[in-house]
Amino acid sequence: MKPIVNVVLPIPKIYSGKVRELFKIDKERILIVTTDRISAFDFVLPTPVPEKGIILNKLSLFWFEKLRDICDNHLVESDFDKFPQILRPFKNVLEGRSIIAKKTIKIPVECVVRGYLSGSAWKEYLLTCSVCGINLPPGLRECEKLPEPIFTPATKEELGSHDRNISFEEMSGILGKEIAEYLKKVSISLYKEASDYADGKGIIIADTKFEFGFYKDRIILIDEILTPDSSRFWEKSSFRIGLSQDSLDKQYVRNYLEGLNWNKQEPVPELPDDVVEKTRQKYWQIYNILTT
Ligand SMILES: Nc1ncnc2c1ncn2[C@@H]1O[C@H](COP(=O)(O)OP(=O)(O)O)[C@@H](O)[C@H]1O
Ligand SMILES: [Mg+2]
C-alpha cells in the first residue's frame, strides 16, 4: 500500500502537525487525517511507514469507545461513507485514517501518566530522585514499576523543539488549580483502566500521554490515545527490570537513530527498508494484541 504523506483536499487546511493534518468542516467540526509520517526526537523523519496512520487511527477509536465512560472524547464520525459529499472522491486517501471530530480549543499541556520509570523520567530520577517535582523512593531501577502511577505534565513546544516537563504547580499556574486537578484525576483514571485491560492481554503500558480540549463548556479528550506513538508498550513476557525494554512502539526507531551517531539536527536521516518494515509490523502487532 502506498504511504500517505501529504494530504490535499478541497476544504481548508487549518493545521499540519508532525503526523496529522487538520481540515475545517464547519464552525464546530474538523477532519483529522492521520498520515503515515513518523516522528522521533520531535523531528518528522523523511521516510514514512506505510499503514501507520491507519493503525493509529483504528487503535485510538478502539480506546475512545472503551474509555468513554471515564471521559467523553472528540469523535463525531469515523465511517468514511458518512463523511460530507465533498470528500467522497478522496476515499483512497481518507478511508480508515480519518475522523470527523469536534473542534476544540486545545489545552496547552500534555497530560503524561507513568506507571513505570523509563525514558526522560528515568533520566530525571537518576539526577534528582524525583520526576516533575514528585519525590520517588530511592534505589528504583530502570523500568521499575512505580508504587502508584504518577502524573508528569509537559508543555507542548513548537515544531522542532522538545516538549518540556513541568511540575504540577507550574501546570496549575498555567491552567488554574481546578482544571489542573481535574486533568490529573481523569488522566490517571484513563491510564489505570487501560493498563488493567492491557494487562489481561499480556501488555504493560509503561507510560502514555493524553491531550484535552475545551468544547463549549466541557473538557473532552482529543487527538490520539494509547497508541504506539503516544505510549510505551512492553510485553509482560519479556519484561526485565533494570534494563531498557524491547517495546512495541516507536522505541525501535529511536534505537535505530541512536545507533547512527546522528547529531539530532537537520537533515534527519532516512530509515532503511528493513527498519520501516519492522516498525510497520510492530505497530500492527500491538494493535492486534490489544484489540483481539
Ligand atoms: N479535536 C481537536 N480539536 C483541536 N485540536 C486537536 C483536536 N484533536 C487533535 N488536535 C490537535 O491536532 C494536532 C494533531 O496533529 P499531530 O500531528 O499529532 O500534531 P503534533 O505535531 O502537534 O503532535 C495536535 O496539535 C493536537 O493537539
Ligand atoms: Mg501529536
Side-chain angles (χ1 to χ4, degrees):
M1 196 188 264
K2 202 170 142 284
I4 302 292
V5 180
N6 293 307
V7 186
V8 180
L9 297 173
I11 54 176
K13 189 179 286 191
I14 52 181
Y15 182 82
S16 183
K18 291 189 285 289
V19 173
R20 291 174 185 75
E21 312 260 289
L22 273 50
F23 297 85
K24 178 177 177 176
I25 300 267
D26 56 35
K27 244 175 69 194
E28 289 187 1
R29 297 176 307 156
I30 53 178
L31 176 77
I32 304 181
V33 186
T34 310
T35 71
D36 293 326
R37 299 194 291 258
I38 185 163
S39 71
F41 307 111
D42 286 323
F43 288 97
V44 178
L45 308 188
T47 326
V49 175
E51 299 176 340
K52 173 177 171 283
I54 293 176
I55 302 169
L56 296 184
N57 187 49
K58 282 161 67 89
L59 190 54
S60 287
L61 289 171
F62 169 81
W63 287 117
F64 279 144
E65 172 63 26
K66 189 167 268 318
L67 300 172
R68 108 179 142 189
D69 290 345
I70 298 179
C71 188
D72 195 11
N73 63 68
H74 68 172
L75 178 66
V76 176
E77 186 56 73
S78 60
D79 180 355
F80 174 81
D81 294 327
K82 298 193 179 132
F83 284 8
Q85 199 70 39
I86 191 171
L87 298 174
R88 296 288 158 83
F90 302 92
K91 187 168 179 151
N92 286 347
V93 180
L94 299 179
E95 191 174 36
R97 63 172 75 245
S98 339
I99 60 164
I100 294 174
K102 296 183 176 108
K103 180 182 181 185
T104 69
I105 298 167
K106 81 180 180 198
I107 296 179
V109 171
E110 310 221 304
C111 294
V112 180
V113 183
R114 301 171 187 273
Y116 291 74
L117 196 51
S118 178
S120 68
W122 168 240
K123 290 188 185 140
E124 201 178 322
Y125 173 80
L126 282 178
L127 294 172
T128 63
C129 204
S130 68
V131 179
C132 289
I134 303 167
N135 291 324
L136 294 174
L140 294 176
R141 289 170 290 168
E142 184 171 11
C143 298
E144 188 153 354
K145 187 174 186 181
L146 297 166
E148 270 299 311
I150 56 171
F151 181 68
T152 62
T155 59
K156 212 171 153 95
E157 305 291 324
E158 291 306 308
L159 200 63
S161 56
H162 301 293
D163 295 348
R164 190 169 60 84
N165 286 353
I166 57 174
S167 66
F168 184 72
E169 286 63 41
E170 200 173 334
M171 177 181 177
S172 302
I174 300 168
L175 302 176
K177 185 127 202 278
E178 202 183 330
I179 288 174
E181 290 283 5
Y182 174 78
L183 292 176
K184 175 180 170 182
K185 190 183 89 190
V186 171
S187 299
I188 290 177
S189 299
L190 290 166
Y191 172 80
K192 282 187 170 164
E193 180 79 13
S195 295
D196 283 351
Y197 171 82
D199 185 75
K201 303 284 179 184
I203 294 293
I204 293 169
I205 305 176
D207 50 50
T208 195
K209 174 219 63 168
F210 301 105
E211 293 183 34
F212 296 86
F214 293 107
Y215 182 71
K216 301 189 174 162
D217 55 355
R218 292 185 301 136
I219 291 177
I220 61 174
L221 252 179
I222 64 167
D223 204 51
E224 62 180 340
I225 58 165
L226 294 151
T227 71
D229 271 14
S230 68
S231 322
R232 280 196 179 81
F233 294 121
W234 298 336
E235 282 169 292
K236 266 163 61 178
S237 59
S238 57
F239 177 68
R240 298 283 178 276
I241 210 167
L243 304 168
S244 67
Q245 311 297 313
D246 269 348
S247 56
L248 289 169
D249 54 63
K250 225 196 263 182
Q251 196 58 39
Y252 178 71
V253 170
R254 292 194 200 104
N255 291 350
Y256 168 77
L257 293 170
E258 294 278 22
L260 289 181
N261 257 330
W262 169 45
N263 62 3
K264 312 243 172 79
Q265 286 172 24
E266 308 270 4
V268 184
E270 291 271 358
L271 298 178
D273 290 351
D274 62 316
V275 174
V276 171
E277 180 52 23
K278 195 77 192 285
T279 305
R280 195 181 70 87
Q281 283 171 14
K282 279 183 184 275
Y283 274 58
W284 273 123
Q285 192 185 348
I286 188 66
Y287 173 80
N288 287 325
I289 293 171
L290 288 171
T291 62
T292 50

